[in-house]
Amino acid sequence: MKGNRDLHNALKVEVVDSAFGGINASLLKLQWGKDDVGFSVHVSPSSYTLSGLQLTDVLGFVGLARTSCPYFHGSGYCGWVKEGFDVKAFANAVASAHDALLKAERHFQACGMKLPQPEGWSHFSGRESRSYQSSRDSVFGDAHTSPKHSHLKESEDENFYFSFSWIEGGRDKGWVTHIREKHAPLSSDIRAAFHLLDLHSFEQCPEFHFERCYWRFYPSASRDILRANSVHAVFDALVNNFSLGLAFLLKAQALMVAFGFSILPITQLEIEKNIELDISTKVEVQERNASSRMPTRFDVAISFAGVNREQAQYLATEVKKAGFVVFYDHFYPEELWGKDLVVFFDEIYRKRSRYCAVFVSRDYVDKEWTNLERKSAQARALAEKGADYILPIKMDDTELPGMPPTVAYVDYRSLGIEEISRLLIRKLEGA
């Protein structure tokens, strides 16, 4: 914006506004002449965590440069902005983007992927910013062309097809995860997200009938059982984690695009002109349309009697807003229309959910339909051999048939549905 001019010094410098908290930020107005004016933002995080992406990483992603900053008596992250920049809203948005990236990071780590950390603790330790190193450097070939290519397995979610293969005999030996979109073409922000995740494209992938895929290679010096189990586990995690990770990453991107910055490696022209589709709009569209496609897997299924629909709907809505995939009947009216619900609900409550939250009440126990859901959930709990699959929410003093009295529950009467929603979100985040 102002070329190589100093972000801090001018003939006249005015602090227009400031924000203080977990992120300290100031907006400066710099003036070199009557009509020669510029604005710069200066940010200094005042806290850090012991692990994971840091607030400093958000600032590094969006391109704010770490430099000596007199406004924070040390180093700060600084950059040019436009007139009217809302520094207080920006500070809040950075904190929200950091929270979204932490959730994205958790889901991507389950898939054997990681987001780079351009800054980490460097701001606090005085070390230089980190350079991004692609894992592509560890692959000699293209992870497809090989004397031996074995298809191992496949899966899919509502957005992507996943395939898993083994190659050996050439310069590379190991496992390859292949990903192909269901809704082509990929938008520029999704392609940029894949680049950030170190996923590389291959135009003639035999796993997808010689269509393009995005791949990641896991090398193996020897095909030992421990390494094989680990790599298989990260592939199996894709179906429940990959799309969720992307959703949180896009949420963080949308927060920063609103201020003219980008977490993803896309051009400033794409940010300013929104060439394909404004990202904040696209995230809203994805969330709004989420009910129009039935996922193959759910983070939690909600089981309740009609008298508790208001509480069930609140719980389902809050958990969905937090980025998790929820089965709640009113989210999928067109998918349920015409189905054999006895068979379909057994599939949902017994096979396709990580957890089942049950609103336990006298009405729940007395109704024939809810008893069918309960029996399916308990069959899954029995198969899980003690794992905490059923999450009981007590609405009154009714005992749930077949539920051991030692199973912990939460009580709606003492906690209320807002606190129960927060507890369920925290449980899903830690799962």
Side-chain angles (χ1 to χ4, degrees), residues 151-195:
H151 172 79
L152 299 178
K153 54 185 172 180
E154 60 196 46
S155 62
E156 63 181 278
D157 67 9
E158 61 270 29
N159 300 307
F160 299 98
Y161 300 105
F162 308 109
S163 188
F164 197 46
S165 66
W166 167 265
I167 61 171
E168 66 174 297
R171 303 185 71 184
D172 293 315
K173 177 182 179 182
W175 298 268
V176 186
T177 290
H178 311 257
I179 300 173
R180 177 162 175 77
E181 71 276 13
K182 286 187 174 180
H183 313 292
L186 288 180
S187 60
S188 61
D189 53 296
I190 296 292
R191 291 196 303 271
F194 281 11
H195 177 78

Side-chain angles (χ1 to χ4, degrees), residues 301-309 312 345 349 356-378 389-396 398-403:
I302 312 294
S303 182
F304 61 96
V307 69
N308 297 128
R309 177 170 289 282
F345 283 170
Y349 291 104
C356 179
V358 177
F359 285 82
V360 183
S361 66
R362 171 52 54 192
D363 286 89
Y364 186 89
V365 171
D366 288 345
K367 301 293 183 182
E368 181 179 353
W369 196 262
T370 50
N371 270 291
L372 291 173
E373 296 176 9
R374 171 183 63 82
K375 290 175 182 177
S376 294
Q378 287 178 328
Y389 173 66
I390 294 179
L391 307 176
I393 303 167
K394 294 202 74 167
M395 306 301 290
D396 53 35
T398 302
E399 297 288 334
L400 190 66
M403 177 66 70

Side-chain angles (χ1 to χ4, degrees), residues 16 20 31 37 174-175 179 184 210 219 260:
V16 178
F20 299 100
Q31 191 164 4
V37 179
W175 298 268
I179 300 173
F210 295 93

Side-chain angles (χ1 to χ4, degrees), residues 291-366:
S291 62
S292 67
R293 296 190 304 271
M294 177 67 77
T296 57
R297 296 283 296 173
F298 298 91
D299 291 301
V300 62
I302 312 294
S303 182
F304 61 96
V307 69
N308 297 128
R309 177 170 289 282
E310 181 180 351
Q311 294 90 345
Q313 180 164 329
Y314 183 92
L315 178 67
T317 301
E318 290 301 301
V319 173
K320 180 181 175 183
K321 279 165 38 178
F324 295 98
V325 184
V326 182
F327 179 77
Y328 169 67
D329 56 358
H330 280 193
F331 286 170
Y332 304 101
E334 62 268 41
E335 282 81 5
L336 298 180
W337 189 11
K339 286 192 180 296
D340 182 337
L341 294 181
V342 172
V343 175
F344 184 75
F345 283 170
D346 177 67
E347 180 81 11
I348 296 293
Y349 291 104
R350 188 163 59 88
K351 297 180 180 179
R352 290 171 57 178
S353 300
R354 292 164 58 199
Y355 292 105
C356 179
V358 177
F359 285 82
V360 183
S361 66
R362 171 52 54 192
D363 286 89
Y364 186 89
V365 171
D366 288 345

Side-chain angles (χ1 to χ4, degrees), residues 47-57 98 101-102 105-106 109 117 120-121 130:
S47 62
Y48 62 91
T49 58
L50 295 178
S51 62
L53 286 162
Q54 305 292 312
L55 283 166
T56 54
D57 291 313
H98 178 233
L101 285 174
L102 286 174
E105 180 183 46
R106 178 176 64 84
Q109 284 179 342
Q117 278 191 269
W121 299 272
R130 306 174 185 181

